[in-house]
């Protein structure tokens, strides 16, 4: 999240993977359901400046209070990689299994493909305001410190405290091995990594 925006927006990027089975998970830390129609996920840091992509939620998309929504690059590949996890809610590449995200050519016209060598993930609301940002491996966004990333492209990155954003991704996100990944839910604890959610009722939310 950039310096010019509220520190803890109602919907935040809560987990992601930029390897072979990409997904972005969003968490609604507010006390009410939020209409996601027109919200955009993009790896293009500014409107129409490069060749990266942007996708937006379709009509009737929403996220319940204290719940998550998962956007997979491909829902079938996601289900194979994350066996036992809740199914993806939306997908970018059509597999015919879940609703598709829609292209947002007003922001960017390329494809949303997160780079293994560093990238940004922006969450943009229906008014084209950037409300949350995650960056990794040296890719920069004003006011945000990047996460150093991982050498293993199956690792996922999850927000340690699901409703807290310090603008430092190296602090806000922890790394999961595939066996510990929790897409589709907010963790209660990761004792094996010595990492525990302490953010009250947010820690036991999710599907």
């Amino acid at each position: 999240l950039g310096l010019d925006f509220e520190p803890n927006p109602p919907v935040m990027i809560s987990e992601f993977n930029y390897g072979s089975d990409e997904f972005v998970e969003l968490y609604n830390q507010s006390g009410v359901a939020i209409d996601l129609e027109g919200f955009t996920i993009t790896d293009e840091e500014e409107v129409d400046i490069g060749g990266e992509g942007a996708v937006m939620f379709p009509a009737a998309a929403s996220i319940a209070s204290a719940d998550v929504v998962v956007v997979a690059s491909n829902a079938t590949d996601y289900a194979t990689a994350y066996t036992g996890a809740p199914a993806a809610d939306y997908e970018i590449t059509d597999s015919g299994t879940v609703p598709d995200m829609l292209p947002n050519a007003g922001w960017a016209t390329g494809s949303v493909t997160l780079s293994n060598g560093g990238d940004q993930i922006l969450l943009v609301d229906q008014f084209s305001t950037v409300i949350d940002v995650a960056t990794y491996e040296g890719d920069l966004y004003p006011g945000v410190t990047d996460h150093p990333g991982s050498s293993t492209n199956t690792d996922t990155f999850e927000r340690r405290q699901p409703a807290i954003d310090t603008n430092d991704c190296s602090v806000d996100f922890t790394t999961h091995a595939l066996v510990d990944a929790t897409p589709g839910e907010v963790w209660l604890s990761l004792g094996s990594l010595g990492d525990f959610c302490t953010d009250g009722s947010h820690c036991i939310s999710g599907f």
Side-chain angles (χ1 to χ4, degrees), residues 79-206:
T80 300
Y82 303 103
T83 305
D89 298 284
Y90 298 91
E91 63 183 350
I92 296 172
T93 302
D94 182 25
S95 69
T97 57
V98 300
D100 294 342
M101 298 289 281
L102 306 175
N104 183 352
W107 189 281
T109 57
S111 61
V112 179
T113 304
L114 301 177
S115 171
N116 290 354
D119 214 340
Q120 314 102 347
I121 307 167
L122 279 63
L123 177 62
V124 183
D125 70 13
Q126 68 270 46
F127 306 109
S128 297
T129 299
V130 177
I131 62 170
D132 198 22
V133 177
T135 67
Y136 58 90
E137 291 195 26
D139 226 67
L140 303 178
Y141 190 86
V144 179
T145 300
D146 66 299
H147 190 285
S150 169
S151 60
T152 304
N153 70 357
T154 58
D155 285 352
T156 71
F157 300 82
E158 183 160 19
R159 194 176 289 276
R160 285 188 168 95
Q161 309 297 336
I164 296 176
D165 188 349
T166 71
N167 294 336
D168 187 341
C169 295
S170 68
V171 171
D172 292 340
F173 288 87
T174 192
T175 306
H176 296 297
L178 181 61
V179 67
D180 290 319
T182 62
E185 60 186 343
V186 174
W187 69 20
L188 174 59
S189 69
L190 277 182
S192 64
L193 300 181
D195 227 329
F196 295 87
C197 178
T198 59
D199 195 15
S201 62
H202 294 292
C203 302
I204 56 174
S205 59

Side-chain angles (χ1 to χ4, degrees), residues 20-24 71-75 78 90-94 112:
S20 55
D21 300 293
E22 293 181 9
F23 71 87
V24 176
V71 178
S73 177
N74 179 281
Y78 169 91
Y90 298 91
E91 63 183 350
I92 296 172
T93 302
D94 182 25
V112 179

